[in-house]
Amino acid sequence: MNDFYRKHRPVLSLLAAQLVLLCSVAAGAVFYSSIYVLYFSAWKITLIDITFALCSGLMVCLAVFERRPEIPKIILIIPFFVGASVFSGIYFGLQKILDLYFNRTYRCLYTIGFVISFELACTIAQDIFAWKRDPKFFLCLSTLFALGIYTGTVILTYNSFPHGWLFKYSSNDQHRFTNLSAEAYAITERDVTLGLDWMDYSLAGATPAFDFALGGDGFRDHLEEWEITFNERKDNEEGNTDFTRVFYNAEEKVSATVVAAFYRETATLEWTVYLKNEGDENSSEVTHFSALDSSLPLSEPTLYFSGGSEERNDDYVLYSRQVTSKEYVFDTEDGRTSQVYLPFFNLTDSDFGCTIGIGWSGRWTARFSSKSDTHVKIGQTYLRGYLEPGESIRSPLVSICLYSGGNALKGFNNFRADIKRGLPDGYRETNLLMFAGAEGQDNHLSANAAGTETYVEALHEAGVLDALDYAWYDASWYDLSGCRSWRDAIGDWKVDTEKYPDGLGAVSDYLAENGVGTLVWYEPERLTTYSDLYKEISQDPSRKEWLIAPSDGSRNYMWNMGNDEARAFMVQHIVSSLKENGVSFYRQDFNFSVPKAYWERADREYYDSRGGFAENHYVTGLYAYLDALVEEIPGLLIDNCASGGRRIDLEMCRRSVPLWRSDYQCKKDKPDLSEAAQMQLYGLSMWLPYSAIANPKAKTEYDLRSLIGGCMMFYVDIIYEAKDAYVKIIQDYQQVKQYFSQNYYPLTTCTSYSRFIALQFGNEEEGMILLYSREGSKGWKTIRPNGLLLGANYSVSTIEGWPIASTSGSELMRNGFEFHVEEEQSLFLIYKKQS
């Protein structure tokens, strides 16, 4: 053994040193993951880079010293720099490759990139300096062993970090909720009292639920320095409560205003915090600005949260996991509000629950941890800088509803009800059935005026024209001259007169005569260098700040909604086009994959490097822009697209609905588009009463029924290729569409592996049960409805009128009824309370 050690002492020493260094960094990854994970702030990333470079340098020094212990110590500086340089070169080259070929969501690839680079650097160092070139066994062993330890550590880290894919995979995505009576799901006076008491304590009380730091001094820690200069609480006729309180710091000349509203109907409290510099000089630096930084009366609750829109077949899947003392941190992907997660949460323990909504169309962060109570912290992800004289910034909108009972479905359905309450009447009164394009072809490039007339005539002949609310004109209705595609031609919004010789307005007039409105696609926030508007603005130095330039060399400029003059110009630019084209439903897209990069550039160029200020003013301006459109065109409805559901948040849900919830359906070659639509409906309906999607390949009854929801859309090719199925689904939808904005109860689990899915929409009086029997599912199924009146009797039948069951609500919820299904079959069942 001694001979073995003496013979291989250099190799074994290097192995030991290598493992110690790697295990030390690995331990840091587990216990300090918030510092370790790479997409955090630049100085933390730099710190990790330096750490590994130092480790590489030390390894090379050790290798040289083992080989030649007599070498002067000062000379070891050379191999030290050699090792650090080798690591740096390998790592940054590898990172560039990962950037090119892998989705940014898979952050663990960057992390593992560190250890691969480190191991390669160590391999090179040991091979050159440590021994002759034949005994490679211990070198390979050390490399593989160290890689195994480190990779395992990365898995552990991502298992506990919400942004990583393994966090999702390790969370529960199969939920079976306890059936309760309609009375148990209703909002009660106790729930109202819980909400009002929390408002009195956390907003109107001595310790506000929000916080920030000014000049390094925490607001709540120095509350005595802030005078309350305005305090008003009003109760209106509906029983709702408005609350406003203004704090003023005389020394700093900064005001902090909280504006809150409590809605009795849904027992929901929402508020926003505003900071303003009332003085004549720049304020001290604002940091740590949180709309919510407080505790909720829940002990180690179950946290329900939903995935976002990532162009996957399981977009919006519902997850859950228990909150403990370990903090979970949720945030966005490069500023896309709902790409990774929806900004909505539901917490439940055995006695109580709380839903939380975030309204911020940019980068938000939500933190959850629980000991005796559950601590929640929500705010804009990064904000740091002074306020100029007269300048104001705001927090995200936050809503909470504390509810009794602890059943998560009570929270989900009340959240849906509050979303519906917050929408203007035009959305709440109408469920929409639309056709895409003009004549509705999947290829929107073929849309034209003649196609519209042909399609309307076909619908009229089929007897379903009266059921349609809107005709949908997507991208490319405008002039594409000189551009490669619809993506490049945006900005001027000039109608393509070859497709619409008399203008789009004439087509809208024709549609209006037939009782159909017009929905048209726009993307006002993106401007390409092909457009005349870009050429005009870019050549005017006085309007330089109207545009935010790309950092990646692309032709896509961002229109700066944070600039008052630019926003006012765009309002009039779009309003003029909307009126000219006769648009009654305005579809706004937002195709920036990394808006964060634009905002960070604007921080440097327009806001004196005040971090997060460009984003704050931009998001605030976006809401002002949308509100101005509606003010200019009363009754205008808004569709929120953003690359298919990637800008869903509370503020946008107060102004719009997502009529194209995922771009997964753009992948026409996928065989599971119907199943994906089912899963999207299942998941997104937990939070929203209205959404829609289409399927370019839908022709069968199973495919068409998979598209049903609070809103519904079809490509019109169907009326030519599958007329009977098309007419049947439209007729069926007229019978059931009102149920989708009422309560929602998932009756089974729903994943990409599920073979049978049952969903219930409606109230305690009547509703529908939607069944999807996928491939591999056949036979008798037991269906147990939810949310019925225990003492009432109900009848259940197919939508065609075939009776299935007639019994009490308690019997239906306890034992259910049996129904036989075939493979790839969708069924609509109607339940009604008997008089």
Side-chain angles (χ1 to χ4, degrees):
M1 186 67 183
N2 290 336
D3 291 341
F4 178 85
Y5 175 73
R6 280 194 297 272
K7 182 178 180 181
H8 298 290
R9 189 182 72 173
V11 179
L12 295 175
S13 299
L14 287 167
L15 172 62
Q18 201 168 322
L19 293 179
V20 169
L21 288 171
L22 279 170
C23 289
S24 298
V25 179
V30 173
F31 295 109
Y32 301 100
S33 59
S34 63
I35 295 177
Y36 180 77
V37 176
L38 300 181
Y39 67 85
F40 270 66
S41 56
W43 73 267
K44 294 176 183 176
I45 297 174
T46 303
L47 182 63
I48 300 169
D49 290 340
I50 293 172
T51 300
F52 273 96
L54 290 175
C55 289
S56 298
L58 290 172
M59 286 297 299
V60 176
C61 285
L62 181 59
V64 173
F65 183 73
E66 285 285 348
R67 179 74 181 269
R68 299 187 177 182
E70 74 282 359
I71 194 171
K73 302 302 183 288
I74 190 68
I75 302 299
L76 293 177
I77 293 177
I78 297 175
F80 175 82
F81 280 110
V82 169
S85 300
V86 168
F87 164 78
S88 299
I90 295 174
Y91 171 68
F92 289 112
L94 184 61
Q95 188 182 52
K96 189 67 175 177
I97 294 172
L98 293 173
D99 276 335
L100 290 174
Y101 295 104
F102 290 94
N103 190 302
R104 295 174 65 86
T105 303
Y106 299 107
R107 301 287 181 171
C108 59
L109 292 173
Y110 292 88
T111 311
I112 296 175
F114 273 123
V115 70
I116 294 174
S117 304
F118 180 52
E119 285 298 330
L120 288 173
C122 291
T123 300
I124 293 170
Q126 294 171 78
D127 193 47
I128 293 174
F129 295 109
W131 59 79
K132 296 180 181 179
R133 292 183 178 271
D134 49 334
K136 305 282 187 172
F137 174 74
F138 290 107
L139 173 63
C140 295
L141 180 65
S142 69
T143 300
L144 292 174
F145 192 59
L147 272 171
I149 291 178
Y150 201 85
T151 303
T153 301
V154 170
I155 291 173
L156 287 175
T157 301
Y158 275 81
N159 186 49
S160 63
F161 198 81
H163 219 87
W165 54 275
L166 282 171
F167 179 86
K168 289 183 177 180
Y169 289 151
S170 65
S171 298
N172 178 31
D173 64 353
Q174 300 190 45
H175 304 89
R176 293 188 179 275
F177 299 97
T178 303
N179 280 16
L180 296 177
S181 68
E183 295 88 345
Y185 286 119
I187 291 295
T188 65
E189 280 301 312
R190 185 186 183 193
D191 301 323
V192 172
T193 301
L194 284 171
L196 288 172
D197 287 349
W198 198 89
M199 181 180 76
D200 291 339
Y201 178 79
S202 298
L203 291 183
T207 306
F210 60 91
D211 200 10
F212 59 90
L214 185 63
D217 294 334
F219 168 68
R220 293 192 305 213
D221 293 337
H222 297 80
L223 202 56
E224 69 281 357
E225 299 175 7
W226 294 81
E227 177 188 0
I228 298 177
T229 59
F230 183 83
N231 192 73
E232 182 178 72
R233 175 173 174 157
K234 289 183 178 179
D235 296 328
N236 60 28
E237 295 178 356
E238 291 80 21
N240 301 329
T241 301
D242 295 324
F243 174 75
T244 303
R245 175 174 284 181
V246 179
F247 298 86
Y248 182 69
N249 188 312
E251 182 178 348
E252 291 280 358
K253 293 183 173 57
V254 171
S255 64
T257 304
V258 57
V259 179
F262 179 81
Y263 301 98
R264 179 174 289 270
E265 175 188 353
T266 57
T268 298
L269 172 68
E270 64 180 33
W271 70 93
T272 308
V273 183
Y274 302 86
L275 301 182
K276 183 176 182 180
N277 183 355
E278 309 281 2
D280 299 324
E281 298 179 354
N282 291 342
S283 73
S284 297
E285 188 176 64
V286 177
T287 56
H288 303 100
F289 188 13
S290 299
L292 175 61
D293 186 359
S294 187
S295 293
L296 301 170
L298 301 164
S299 178
E300 296 196 350
T302 299
L303 172 64
Y304 293 90
F305 56 96
S306 291
S309 177
E310 297 187 277
E311 294 184 30
R312 296 166 53 93
N313 65 355
D314 63 349
D315 282 347
Y316 307 113
V317 63
L318 182 70
Y319 299 102
S320 67
R321 61 192 304 140
Q322 188 176 23
V323 181
T324 62
S325 57
K326 181 178 179 60
E327 186 179 67
Y328 292 139
V329 183
F330 296 83
D331 59 9
T332 65
E333 174 77 11
D334 296 326
R336 309 217 63 175
T337 313
S338 53
Q339 179 169 331
V340 181
Y341 293 102
L342 289 176
F344 309 137
F345 302 92
N346 191 359
L347 296 143
T348 64
D349 64 13
S350 58
D351 299 315
F352 296 98
C354 180
T355 56
I356 299 174
I358 303 172
W360 191 249
S361 305
R363 295 188 294 161
W364 55 267
T365 297
R367 301 172 180 269
F368 298 89
S369 61
S370 181
K371 293 181 181 178
S372 57
D373 289 333
T374 297
H375 190 84
V376 183
K377 186 174 182 179
I378 293 170
Q380 183 181 340
T381 298
Y382 184 71
L383 185 76
R384 188 183 193 95
Y386 60 83
L387 291 168
E388 293 180 342
E391 184 178 18
S392 176
I393 57 175
R394 59 160 285 181
S395 74
L397 173 70
V398 173
S399 76
I400 68 166
C401 171
L402 292 163
Y403 59 90
S404 57
N407 186 295
L409 282 181
K410 178 177 179 178
F412 286 124
N413 276 308
N414 188 64
F415 192 93
R416 284 167 49 88
D418 193 65
I419 292 293
K420 184 178 178 179
R421 175 206 58 76
L423 281 168
D425 291 341
Y427 301 95
R428 290 185 283 162
E429 295 173 353
T430 306
N431 287 266
L432 314 170
L433 191 111
M434 298 150 290
F435 54 94
E439 78 285 13
Q441 299 298 322
D442 174 29
N443 179 6
H444 51 68
L445 295 176
S446 64
N448 54 55
T452 297
E453 293 186 10
T454 301
Y455 181 49
V456 168
E457 290 169 2
L459 293 174
H460 179 72
E461 182 182 341
V464 295
L465 179 61
D466 291 343
L468 294 176
D469 295 313
Y470 290 92
W472 180 317
Y473 294 82
D474 213 69
S476 83
W477 58 267
Y478 41 85
D479 188 3
L480 303 181
S481 301
C483 298
R484 296 171 297 181
S485 72
W486 64 268
R487 294 179 180 274
D488 298 326
I490 62 175
D492 296 329
W493 309 117
K494 297 176 181 177
V495 176
D496 186 337
T497 54
E498 291 188 7
K499 296 177 182 177
Y500 309 101
D502 298 322
L504 195 54
V507 176
S508 295
D509 291 340
Y510 168 78
L511 289 168
E513 292 172 1
N514 288 277
V516 180
T518 306
L519 184 153
V520 179
W521 180 94
Y522 289 81
E523 191 177 358
E525 297 165 83
R526 187 165 63 91
L527 192 66
T528 71
T529 56
Y530 292 102
S531 67
D532 292 337
L533 181 59
Y534 166 78
K535 295 169 186 174
E536 174 190 341
I537 300 300
S538 61
Q539 293 172 8
D540 184 351
S542 67
R543 294 189 284 184
K544 176 186 176 183
E545 295 188 11
W546 288 25
L547 300 176
I548 305 175
S551 300
D552 58 1
S554 73
R555 292 179 175 270
N556 296 314
Y557 281 70
M558 180 181 281
W559 191 267
N560 188 3
M561 289 294 183
N563 183 287
D564 293 341
E565 294 180 351
R567 182 173 65 254
F569 178 94
M570 186 56 70
V571 167
Q572 294 307 314
H573 186 51
I574 297 299
V575 164
S576 176
S577 179
L578 293 174
K579 290 181 176 180
E580 178 184 349
N581 294 329
V583 178
S584 48
F585 212 129
Y586 164 69
R587 173 169 168 80
Q588 179 158 323
D589 211 338
F590 183 69
N591 290 308
F592 287 99
S593 58
V594 190
K596 168 187 171 184
Y598 286 84
W599 294 329
E600 289 178 341
R601 178 165 186 159
D603 282 338
R604 296 189 299 270
E605 295 184 356
Y606 304 152
Y607 292 94
D608 192 27
S609 295
R610 292 180 288 157
F613 271 66
E615 175 189 342
N616 197 283
H617 289 297
Y618 186 98
V619 172
T620 303
L622 170 65
Y623 304 146
Y625 163 80
L626 294 174
D627 294 343
L629 294 186
V630 178
E631 185 177 343
E632 292 277 351
I633 307 177
L636 180 71
L637 302 183
I638 301 173
D639 165 28
N640 171 23
C641 182
S643 302
R646 294 181 178 178
R647 204 193 233 173
I648 297 174
D649 62 81
L650 200 58
E651 285 279 17
M652 292 301 290
C653 287
R654 294 286 185 258
R655 298 170 170 85
S656 62
V657 292
L659 297 183
W660 186 267
R661 60 189 176 225
S662 173
D663 271 0
Y664 184 77
Q665 269 71 10
C666 294
K667 302 176 179 180
K668 293 177 254 183
D669 58 327
K670 294 292 184 180
D672 62 346
L673 295 182
S674 292
E675 289 73 23
Q678 297 164 15
M679 287 186 284
Q680 292 161 12
L681 176 67
Y682 183 102
L684 193 55
S685 294
M686 292 289 183
W687 309 101
L688 303 185
Y690 304 110
S691 71
I693 198 64
N695 178 353
K697 298 192 296 185
K699 299 293 186 293
T700 67
E701 182 179 74
Y702 173 79
D703 293 331
L704 294 174
R705 286 186 168 184
S706 296
L707 302 177
I708 201 165
C711 307
M712 202 168 185
M713 182 183 73
F714 301 112
Y715 292 104
V716 324
D717 307 57
I718 305 166
I719 198 162
Y720 306 117
E721 301 173 14
K723 179 179 177 180
D724 291 342
Y726 185 77
V727 171
K728 178 69 164 61
I729 186 63
I730 290 180
Q731 293 172 340
D732 289 347
Y733 188 61
Q734 300 311 302
Q735 296 185 54
V736 302
K737 64 181 183 179
Q738 69 274 13
Y739 300 136
F740 287 94
S741 63
Q742 297 171 5
N743 288 336
Y744 167 54
Y745 305 102
L747 304 181
T748 63
T749 61
C750 178
T751 69
S752 56
Y753 306 104
S754 301
R755 291 290 168 258
F756 178 75
I757 301 166
L759 306 85
Q760 176 186 340
F761 294 90
N763 57 30
E764 68 275 13
E765 297 288 331
E766 61 179 303
M768 73 171 297
I769 297 172
L770 180 55
L771 306 181
Y772 292 115
S773 178
R774 297 175 173 177
E775 185 179 356
S777 174
K778 182 180 179 180
W780 291 95
K781 306 294 181 182
T782 300
I783 312 299
R784 296 180 177 85
N786 201 346
L788 305 180
L789 297 169
L790 297 177
N793 289 324
Y794 291 85
S795 64
V796 183
S797 63
T798 66
I799 195 170
E800 292 80 14
W802 295 100
I804 297 173
S806 180
T807 186
S808 68
S810 59
E811 177 66 18
L812 281 173
M813 289 193 293
R814 182 173 60 252
N815 296 321
F817 61 87
E818 289 194 337
F819 194 83
H820 190 274
V821 298
E822 301 292 337
E823 292 188 45
E824 293 198 10
Q825 182 181 27
S826 175
L827 295 148
F828 294 170
L829 309 183
I830 307 298
Y831 68 89
K832 290 187 177 181
K833 177 186 169 186
Q834 296 176 337
S835 56

